Amino acid sequence: MKSTREIFKTNPSLLEKPEVANLLEYCEQLQDEIVEFKFQKTNNKELAMLDMLKEVIKGCNAIEKEQMEHERFGFEAPDYQEIISNMKRYIIKRCDDEKIYL
């Protein structure tokens, strides 16, 4: 499966179009639903880890987008310390919930 960046690398300006952004958001929601369904079906810790990693990657992509907007348009830069703390809390809580011991 190709990432968003791979799909749009020849024409990255399309990512700025609202319709494309909506479509990508919808695709992410569907991916999340598929992972959740698979997890409910099997209750497999491997799938829980996969879901957790996908969420972290999705968060990283959002941070990258914020950074690009900051550089391009002068928007406020992301608060990296808060982002790191939030990701760490998410991973620890999810591992506790799934009884995954790191």
Side-chain angles (χ1 to χ4, degrees), residues 23-36:
L23 179 61
L24 291 174
E25 184 178 329
Y26 178 67
C27 289
E28 286 178 5
Q29 289 172 353
L30 289 177
Q31 287 174 339
D32 291 345
E33 288 176 20
I34 289 168
V35 170
E36 186 64 30

Side-chain angles (χ1 to χ4, degrees), residues 11-93:
N11 197 348
S13 64
L14 289 175
L15 291 170
E16 297 173 15
K17 300 215 177 273
E19 295 86 0
V20 174
N22 288 338
L23 179 61
L24 291 174
E25 184 178 329
Y26 178 67
C27 289
E28 286 178 5
Q29 289 172 353
L30 289 177
Q31 287 174 339
D32 291 345
E33 288 176 20
I34 289 168
V35 170
E36 186 64 30
F37 175 73
K38 286 181 181 177
F39 178 70
Q40 288 173 355
K41 186 176 176 184
T42 63
N43 200 15
N44 184 331
K45 289 185 182 195
E46 183 179 324
L47 289 175
M49 290 293 289
L50 177 64
D51 183 46
M52 187 179 351
L53 290 172
K54 284 184 177 184
E55 287 297 316
V56 170
I57 289 171
K58 192 177 355 177
C60 291
N61 288 339
I63 295 164
E64 286 176 340
K65 181 180 177 187
E66 280 185 49
Q67 181 63 37
M68 287 176 13
E69 289 173 349
H70 167 69
E71 291 170 2
R72 185 170 181 192
F73 303 111
F75 292 166
E76 187 175 332
D79 181 351
Y80 294 106
Q81 185 60 46
E82 181 182 354
I83 292 165
I84 291 168
S85 296
N86 288 341
M87 263 196 238
K88 186 177 176 183
R89 275 194 301 275
Y90 168 75
I91 291 170
I92 290 169
K93 171 137 181 33

Side-chain angles (χ1 to χ4, degrees), residues 2-9 15 20 24 28 61:
K2 289 185 177 183
S3 71
T4 304
R5 292 193 186 284
E6 290 173 323
I7 293 170
F8 291 98
K9 72 179 176 185
L15 291 170
V20 174
L24 291 174
E28 286 178 5
N61 288 339

